[in-house]
Amino acid sequence: MDATQAIFPHTNATERSSGTAIYHLLSGSFRSLSLFLLAFSPTHRNISLVQPIDAFGPHQYIACNRHKNRVYTTSWALPPILSSWEVERSADRPWRVNHINSVPITATSSYISIPPPFGYIYSVGGPTGEAHHIDPSTGGFGPKVQEILFVPEGELESADKTRVALRYGSHGIEFSPASGHAFVPVLGTSSIEMYTHNPLTGTLSHMASVPSPRGPSAHDGPRHVKVHPNGKVLYSVTEHTNLLDVYAIKPTSLEYVSSQPLLPPDLPSDAFRGDTLLLTPSTPSHPTPHTIFATTRGSKTLTNGWLSIFSLGDDGLFSGKVERFQTATSGGKANALDILPKAPEKTDSEAVWIALTDDDEHTATTGGGGVRVLEWDGWNTNGVHEVTAWPPALQSPPEQDAAESSWWMKGGSHAIWLD
C-alpha cells in the first residue's frame, strides 16, 4: 500500500470529458530558480500561469506520487539536494504548491522514481544514487535507507559530484515490479546496471552490468529507460547514437531484441542527442500501452529536434508503425516529454496531450514556449500538432528586473501533468 494512501486520497478537480476542463502542469527550468504551476485549457487552447513557486533550482527533473498530490524534484543547486512539495488540489479555487522538505544528497541528481509499493523514493545522478523512505505523515522525504555507488567506493571522494557528472554517470532509474528488478542507464560506460529490488526494505542489490549491444566502440550512451507494464520488456534511449533499444528482461540479465532510430533517414546522428521516452499511460480502457514516444534534441540551436512515435504489439515489441514530428527548436537541454490521455474512458481513443519542454537559447531569452502542449489523436489522424506554448514570445529579452523575477521562465527543463 502507498504510504500516503490513507491520508492523501486522490481527487480529480476536473473531468476530462468536460468541455470546461482545465489541466494543470508543473514545470522546472534549467536557468530559472522557480517552479511554475501552469493551467492548460483545451477549450481556449492556451496555457496560463497559476503560481510561480520560490524553489531551490534550477530544477532539472520532477516526479510525482501516484495520487499526484506530492511532487519530488532534483536540483542543480549546490550543495546537492532533493525536495518534496505538496499539491493543494481544489475544484473551486486556484491550485497551490507548497514546500514540504529538502534532504541533502552526495551528488547532483538527474532522475526520481517512486515504484510500487510506493513506500520509497529513488534518485540517481552521476556517481551516486539513493533510496529514501517516504514520511507517512507528510508525504515528503524521510530517512535515507541506502546510497548506491556507480564508481568504486575508493574513488567516490575524488569523483565529480556536480551536474557535469550527469553527462557520463548514472542518469535514470526505473523498476519492474513484476520481475522485482531495477535498471539504471549509465552514459559513460554505455551500460544498463541491473539490480534486484527489495520492496519491503527499499534496498537494491547489484545483479548485472549489461553492455551496449553494439559494443564499447559505439559509445551509445544509454540515457533513459522505461519498463513495459508486463515486466518483460525494457526500452532504452541512447543519447549519442539516437536509438530506441528494446530488451527482453530475463531473471538475471537483459537480452537485446531490436532497435528503432530516433531520427528520419539520412540525418547525421552526431548532430542530435537522444533524450526522453514515455509509454502511453495505462487507462481503464487501455491497460496495455500500444504506443511509445521518444525525443531527441538538436546539438546546436539551429538544428531542430524530433519527436518519434512507435507502435507496440500486445507483447510490448515494435509492431511497425512510426510517425515523426520536428520540434519547433533544438530543444536545448530539454525536449522532455509527459503525456496525458485526452479521453481515458473511451475504448477507441488513442488521443493524448503531450507536454514538451524547450530550453533552446532563443526560447530562454525571448520566450516563445518553455512549455509547449502538443496533441496527437492517434494513428492516421494527420500527425502531431502544436496547440499552445508558454510563456508567450517577446520581441526582445525582458528588462533585468523582470528576467530575475520568480514569474519569468527562462526556458523549461521538465514538466509533468498533475491531472
Side-chain angles (χ1 to χ4, degrees):
M1 172 181 279
D2 188 330
T4 63
Q5 183 173 5
I7 55 175
F8 305 127
H10 177 55
T11 56
N12 277 325
T14 56
E15 293 294 331
R16 293 181 193 173
S17 58
S18 168
T20 59
I22 297 293
Y23 304 134
H24 290 81
L25 300 119
L26 186 67
S27 182
S29 170
F30 288 113
R31 308 171 193 238
S32 303
L33 303 185
S34 301
L35 293 168
F36 300 87
L37 179 61
L38 307 172
F40 166 62
S41 168
T43 302
H44 300 290
R45 299 176 79 80
N46 65 11
I47 299 172
S48 57
L49 175 65
V50 177
Q51 179 194 8
I53 304 143
D54 290 335
F56 310 97
H59 291 283
Q60 182 241 12
Y61 190 84
I62 304 173
C64 62
N65 66 356
R66 62 172 177 159
H67 304 310
K68 298 197 174 184
N69 55 19
R70 291 297 183 273
V71 169
Y72 309 96
T73 59
T74 66
S75 173
W76 278 5
L78 294 175
I81 60 168
L82 302 171
S83 299
S84 64
W85 310 80
E86 173 196 24
V87 180
E88 290 187 15
R89 310 164 68 91
S90 175
D92 57 5
R93 57 186 172 82
W95 290 19
R96 310 299 289 176
V97 173
N98 304 306
H99 180 238
I100 299 174
N101 71 337
S102 298
V103 292
I105 54 176
T106 301
T108 297
S109 177
S110 64
Y111 203 88
I112 295 173
S113 184
I114 308 101
F118 310 110
Y120 297 90
I121 307 164
Y122 298 84
S123 176
V124 300
T128 64
E130 50 280 317
H132 284 87
H133 194 273
I134 294 178
D135 185 329
S137 64
T138 66
F141 285 97
K144 182 189 292 189
V145 299
Q146 184 183 17
E147 182 163 81
I148 306 131
L149 300 184
F150 303 102
V151 296
E153 186 173 0
E155 298 177 11
L156 179 60
E157 184 176 353
S158 61
D160 191 332
K161 302 176 183 66
T162 71
R163 69 189 194 190
V164 174
L166 304 181
R167 300 173 187 170
Y168 53 83
S170 64
H171 210 89
I173 182 167
E174 288 291 345
F175 292 79
S176 171
S179 66
H181 294 120
F183 306 93
V184 177
V186 181
L187 279 91
T189 58
S190 285
S191 65
I192 298 174
E193 303 303 316
M194 186 173 178
Y195 298 81
T196 56
H197 173 220
N198 186 324
L200 298 180
T201 64
T203 56
L204 305 180
S205 298
H206 191 259
M207 173 179 285
S209 181
V210 182
S212 163
R214 288 162 291 275
S217 62
H219 302 293
D220 281 318
R223 177 182 174 89
H224 284 146
V225 297
K226 289 292 180 183
V227 177
H228 193 276
N230 66 16
K232 299 177 181 179
V233 180
L234 179 133
Y235 310 90
S236 173
V237 160
T238 64
E239 178 168 330
H240 304 147
T241 50
N242 290 281
L243 294 170
L244 177 56
D245 290 335
V246 176
Y247 296 85
I249 299 173
K250 300 299 182 179
T252 59
S253 190
L254 297 173
E255 181 180 287
Y256 172 70
V257 177
S258 63
S259 301
Q260 285 280 359
L262 300 181
L263 297 168
D266 303 325
L267 289 182
S269 181
D270 59 2
F272 299 86
R273 297 175 296 158
D275 195 13
T276 61
L277 74 166
L278 207 60
L279 292 154
T280 47
S282 296
T283 66
S285 60
H286 289 85
T288 300
H290 285 91
T291 312
I292 188 167
F293 296 73
T295 60
T296 186
R297 304 155 291 171
S299 58
K300 297 181 179 179
T301 192
L302 296 179
T303 303
N304 291 32
W306 289 88
L307 164 65
S308 297
I309 308 172
F310 304 94
S311 65
L312 303 174
D314 290 340
D315 57 4
L317 303 181
F318 294 128
S319 61
K321 296 179 183 177
V322 182
E323 286 191 7
R324 301 193 194 276
F325 172 79
Q326 189 174 37
T327 59
T329 71
S330 70
K333 294 183 288 295
N335 257 15
L337 287 167
D338 200 25
I339 295 173
L340 180 72
K342 281 189 176 183
E345 73 285 353
K346 294 183 179 180
T347 59
D348 60 345
S349 176
E350 298 175 304
V352 295
W353 301 112
I354 303 167
L356 183 73
T357 50
D358 187 351
D359 176 63
D360 183 79
E361 193 66 33
H362 176 76
T363 300
T365 54
T366 62
V371 177
R372 304 176 187 273
V373 172
L374 316 178
E375 63 180 336
W376 184 70
D377 288 331
W379 300 103
N380 305 314
T381 59
N382 298 316
V384 176
H385 303 277
E386 181 171 319
V387 177
T388 186
W390 186 89
L394 302 176
Q395 296 301 312
S396 60
E399 297 297 329
Q400 183 67 23
D401 57 346
E404 297 302 324
S405 69
S406 62
W407 59 264
W408 177 253
M409 174 189 275
K410 293 177 280 189
S413 57
H414 182 223
I416 61 171
W417 295 104
L418 295 177
D419 294 273

